[in-house]
Each structure stands twice: as C-alpha cells, then as structure tokens.
Amino acid sequence: MSKLTQRGFSLLELMVSMSIGIVLVGAALSVHVRGQDTYIVNERNGRLAEGRRYLADVLLSDLRASGYWAETEFPASINRRANDPANPMPPGFFPANDCYAGAWINVNVPVEVVDHTQVGAANILAGCVPEGARLPGTDLLLVRHADPQPALAQDPGRLYLISTPIGGELFVGGQPIPAGFDPADPIHAVNTHVYYVSPRSSAGDNVPSLRRMRLDVGPLFIDEEVMTGVDDFQVQLGRDTDADDDANVFVNENSPLAAGGLPVAARVWVRMRTIDAEVGYENDTVFEYAGINRPVADNFRRLVMNNTVQLRNGRANP
C-alpha cells in the first residue's frame, strides 16, 4: 500500500512568486499614479479653459457694449454728462471715490485705458484704483455704456439714462424724471466698470485676481472679484488714423501714437494661472504680447486669452 505525500512550495518558489507579485503590484501602482497625474493636469487645464470662456463672456461682452446709449446715438446730446455747461449734474451726487472728477458721467469716452507704465500722477484712474491696489506691470481698463436692458424699476442712488432719438439725460434714481421727457421713454441703468489685476483674491493674499470697480448705488464705486488666478492684464486700443472706421494701428496708451486717431477697436490679453503650484512642473515660458516679453519662472500652469473687439458704438458726434 503506497503512502501519499503532500509537498508545499519551496523557499525558492515562494521567493520567485513574491518577486513577480511585487513587480505586478508596482506596475499597477505606476499606471494608477500616471493616470492620476494625467487627470490632475487635464483638470487644471480644463479649469483654465473654462476661465477663458467665462472671461470672454464677461469682459468682451462689456467691451462690445461700450458706447451704447440706448435711444441716443450721440453722447454729445446727453444732458448732465461730464463738462456739460448748460445742464450740469448737481455736485451732491458725485461719488466720493470717483476715478477722477466727472469720470462717472463722462459718457463722451466709452473706453479708457491706463498703461502699466503710467503710474503715480499718470494713472488717471487712481481715484478708484490706487497704485497700491493693482498688481505692478498690469493695465487698467474703464468701460462705459447703458445697460442693454431697460430698467424695470429704479434703485435710489443709481445712475440712469432716459433717452429718445433726439437726446437723453442722466439722472440719479430716486429723483424726478428730467423735465422734457415722458415717463414712458426708455430708462437704462448706466454701467461703468474699471477692470484691474489685484495681487490678492478670495483664494488668498498670494493669489492674484482680476477685479473691477463697478458704479453702484450711492452713486459709489464698489470693488468686486471677477476671477481668481489672473496675473496679467494688457490692453491696446486700435486707432483709426485715416477716418475709414478701421484700426490702422494698435498701440499701448503710453505710446505717442495713442494721441492720434479715434479708438475703434480694443485688443485684450488676460493671462490666467492655476491657483496652486504643481510639484514636478516647471514653467519657464516667455510670453510675448502687447509689444513686450513677459517671462515666468515658477510651478504654475498658465493660459493666455487674446481677443480683439470692434468698438462700434458712440464713435463720433454729429
């Protein structure tokens, strides 16, 4: 009668099996880590792309509306605008933090730009965005227009425009409708926005952001965040130097050419970055736009939005 024997793994077989298992587990972990890294990178790039779409909707739509004054085609026919000698705005309504004297009612100028080199006394918008508030090396952009939709109700202390094809008048909500106008005439809120880059944001004191000063009730300019993670903002206005309604040259506002020709277009660059630095990633890109090089040397991924907008409203007076 034979005797059955039972054998186990030898030490050598066990060691070979463990080695194979370790290799397989390591390979699986490596694939998982690479997949996770790819997911994180794609997510961050996706957020930057989403931010670009959002800024295009907010900022570029605002620029396209610049110089729109409802029923009134020519801003020179709007009473109580800045420097209107015949029918001036009562001084008691002027904002305490106006960008400059009369900026809140300066409907004659739909778009204003302060170049990053224009600091100190050269910063004409320092009344609402002082030098300490903006990130050095970035531009300021002011945009004015009537709200595209008529106001259904008036907020006391807000700036409005009542208009007809003949002319219009600015007034502050809570005050009587200006004489000579019918209450049925369309009334639009006046939008004035000053865009700038701050070195701080709601995400932290070390995270820059695109912000804007918005003319609100009071009247008063209030500060609001547009988007976190913006570290550069540059604007060039396209000038029409031969009266053919097309931009012949795009220049920074510190250029001598900025004094000639009517602004008929705006070119905007907004550089966005991720909120958090990325371990193992180095960004040494030299960005080139707005006429100069803008290098970086850090661990943040970036994306630049570059768009050109035609300024079709309120170009000239009769």
Side-chain angles (χ1 to χ4, degrees):
M1 185 173 178
S2 62
K3 191 173 183 180
L4 296 176
T5 60
Q6 191 172 17
R7 296 179 56 195
F9 290 107
S10 68
L11 179 61
L12 178 62
E13 291 172 329
L14 185 61
M15 292 180 66
V16 170
S17 300
M18 290 177 63
S19 298
I20 294 174
I22 290 173
V23 170
L24 292 176
V25 171
L29 286 174
S30 177
V31 171
H32 173 73
V33 169
R34 285 199 299 269
Q36 189 176 40
D37 289 344
T38 300
Y39 171 79
I40 292 174
V41 170
N42 290 339
E43 182 186 35
R44 288 175 174 172
N45 287 334
R47 287 182 179 178
L48 290 174
E50 182 181 355
R52 179 170 59 182
R53 290 190 294 269
Y54 171 72
L55 283 181
D57 183 54
V58 174
L59 177 59
L60 301 184
S61 297
D62 207 14
L63 265 172
R64 292 189 184 98
S66 64
Y68 167 71
W69 302 118
E71 298 289 316
T72 304
E73 183 178 2
F74 302 112
S77 62
I78 297 176
N79 295 330
R80 292 193 172 182
R81 66 189 184 280
N83 301 316
D84 179 6
N87 190 14
M89 179 69 72
F93 292 121
F94 278 57
N97 61 342
D98 204 357
C99 300
Y100 56 81
W104 71 298
I105 50 175
N106 193 12
V107 298
N108 282 310
V109 185
V111 174
E112 295 184 74
V113 176
V114 172
D115 189 73
H116 61 277
T117 61
Q118 295 174 313
V119 297
N123 177 8
I124 62 170
L125 303 179
C128 56
V129 185
E131 285 304 310
R134 70 162 163 167
L135 188 69
T138 59
D139 290 356
L140 305 177
L141 171 66
L142 185 151
V143 181
R144 298 182 181 89
H145 58 83
D147 195 89
Q149 300 299 323
L152 300 178
Q154 296 177 34
D155 294 328
R158 186 182 295 276
L159 183 64
Y160 290 96
L161 168 69
I162 186 168
S163 62
T164 70
I166 299 175
E169 185 162 328
L170 301 172
F171 72 100
V172 174
Q175 304 301 308
I177 296 295
F181 291 89
D182 191 292
D185 290 333
I187 296 175
H188 295 249
V190 174
N191 293 335
T192 301
H193 300 140
V194 184
Y195 294 89
Y196 73 100
V197 175
S198 168
R200 293 167 288 278
S201 72
S202 59
D205 288 343
N206 61 342
V207 180
S209 62
L210 181 68
R211 308 184 69 84
R212 70 181 181 185
M213 300 297 292
R214 176 170 57 86
L215 185 62
D216 204 346
V217 297
L220 195 68
F221 281 94
I222 64 169
D223 188 30
E224 60 186 14
E225 188 170 280
V226 178
M227 182 177 170
T228 58
V230 172
D231 67 357
D232 197 16
F233 179 53
Q234 302 295 322
V235 184
Q236 289 182 336
L237 293 182
R239 303 279 177 170
D240 175 18
T241 58
D242 57 7
D244 65 352
D245 284 343
D246 290 323
N248 304 102
V249 60
F250 283 86
V251 294
N252 296 323
E253 284 303 288
N254 66 337
S255 167
L257 296 176
L262 188 70
V264 296
R267 187 168 289 166
V268 178
W269 292 266
V270 182
R271 191 173 69 188
M272 297 160 281
R273 46 152 269 199
T274 51
I275 303 300
D276 301 313
E278 185 174 330
V279 177
Y281 173 76
E282 294 184 5
N283 192 343
D284 57 359
T285 305
V286 178
F287 294 92
E288 299 181 30
Y289 51 83
I292 62 174
N293 295 335
R294 301 177 185 277
V296 296
D298 54 30
N299 310 105
F300 297 95
R301 293 185 182 272
R302 284 178 172 81
L303 180 66
V304 176
M305 182 188 83
N306 173 214
N307 291 87
T308 301
V309 175
Q310 301 300 315
L311 308 178
R312 296 298 186 187
N313 302 312
R315 285 191 172 187
N317 294 327

